[in-house]
Amino acid sequence: MKKTTYLITALLAMALQSYAIDKNTVEIVYSGTAATVTIASNISSYVTVSSGTSSHVVITQSESFAGVDKTTDNEDGEIYYVLKGSSSDGEFKLTGSFKCEVDLNGLTLTNPSGPALNIQNGKRITISAKSGTTNTLTDGTNKDFNGCIHVKGHTKLKGKGTLNVIGKSRHAIYSKEYLEVKNLTLNITAAQKDGIHCKEYFLMESGTVSISGVGDDGIQCELEGTTSTGTTADHEEEDSGNFYMEKGTLSISNYGDKAIKADGTITYSGGKQNFNTSDTMINAGLATVKMDDGTGNVAVYDLSGRSVGSIKTKGVYIVNKNGRTYKVIAK
């Protein structure tokens, strides 16, 4: 009877272990210099862990993966990577070619030799701080990558938790394509260069973002290519170098160069700006700063104070709207 009881208990434990995580999920739990990686059975053939039990986790998402087990909440059938625990000498490196989500669920992660999150995937990458959690990421010597969070593709930062980022090498957050923020409480407390550096465009939909202690710009947004698409419907296929703020609170202080620098336009259509909004810079030619009141009209002057109507040639201009003044450099 005892043997039968033990056998049933063992089988039950195995069954519970096999259903410990949801479908489409990879769970990574950091503990010091080790990490435990658990992969849901339905995606096990698409995910390879090459780092063993090391806290420097290296995962490859198969090039053949194109979504599996789609649901209403996960309409593309993408993979969720759930990161938990703590390590003062670890990282999360991911390669692949299909969109995915990285969920931070009470994570404290420092990589003394590179990015804390290194996402070498050119698709849409969602990084979510789970509700009620505080997550802290710190990098170290980082010669080959551009940020404590380094993302090769499109980046969406979201969640109702808190994300703290400390960039000791270059930028705190770097996105090679666009970057969007929604709901998140994001605190960038240090960066050698920019707090946030992205290409294509930057969009703050909502949330609370605080940037301080950065050596260069609070936020810099570049064109990825050589010509601008301008603003597109729903920002589809947009490469404008534009900065947009719709809602939320953005605080920028203690920075080395500009609060915001953009290759396109800078538009505040809502939200609260807790920084000197005149301490911004437009890099691209024929661009304007817009304090959106529904008209988009601005007064433009040359450096002698003469009204020039609009920016038509390269040079330095003074733009005034709603009683606020900006210096614009058109190149």
Side-chain angles (χ1 to χ4, degrees), residues 133-328:
T133 69
T134 298
N135 306 273
T136 302
L137 304 176
T138 309
D139 71 352
T141 304
N142 190 354
K143 295 181 180 180
D144 298 322
F145 301 98
N146 289 315
C148 177
I149 298 176
H150 180 111
V151 179
K152 182 180 178 181
H154 330 307
T155 308
K156 291 193 174 185
L157 301 176
K158 70 171 192 177
K160 294 185 178 180
T162 299
L163 174 58
N164 304 315
V165 184
I166 301 166
K168 292 187 174 181
S169 181
R170 295 187 181 181
H171 311 303
I173 300 175
Y174 172 82
S175 177
K176 194 174 180 182
E177 298 180 3
Y178 68 71
L179 190 146
E180 299 179 353
V181 179
K182 185 175 182 179
N183 295 330
L184 184 68
T185 297
L186 172 63
N187 301 309
I188 294 172
T189 57
Q192 288 296 308
K193 300 184 74 175
D194 301 333
I196 295 174
H197 189 108
C198 63
K199 298 188 177 183
E200 295 190 342
Y201 67 87
F202 173 93
L203 170 63
M204 184 168 173
E205 293 185 67
S206 59
T208 301
V209 176
S210 175
I211 301 173
S212 64
V214 300
D216 202 349
D217 305 311
I219 298 174
Q220 183 173 2
C221 185
E222 296 183 293
L223 282 170
E224 184 181 32
T226 57
T227 59
S228 173
T229 62
T231 302
T232 64
D234 297 323
H235 305 291
E236 288 292 330
E237 304 298 328
E238 180 174 332
D239 182 15
S240 61
N242 290 350
F243 170 99
Y244 306 96
M245 183 174 179
E246 297 178 348
K247 296 179 182 178
T249 300
L250 175 59
S251 302
I252 306 175
S253 63
N254 189 22
Y255 50 89
D257 194 1
K258 296 296 178 182
I260 298 171
K261 188 181 291 182
D263 281 352
T265 62
I266 298 174
T267 302
Y268 313 105
S269 57
K272 185 176 182 181
Q273 296 84 41
N274 289 332
F275 57 94
N276 183 358
T277 54
S278 65
D279 194 14
T280 59
M281 180 181 288
I282 300 294
N283 285 334
L286 310 185
T288 60
V289 174
K290 299 178 182 177
M291 297 297 295
D292 193 352
D293 61 1
T295 66
N297 295 324
V298 294
V300 183
Y301 305 89
D302 65 17
L303 292 182
S304 298
R306 294 171 297 194
S307 176
V308 295
S310 63
I311 299 175
K312 297 178 180 178
T313 61
K314 296 179 181 180
V316 181
Y317 297 86
I318 304 300
V319 177
N320 181 275
K321 184 165 186 178
N322 293 342
R324 296 183 178 183
T325 303
Y326 311 87
K327 180 173 75 172
V328 175

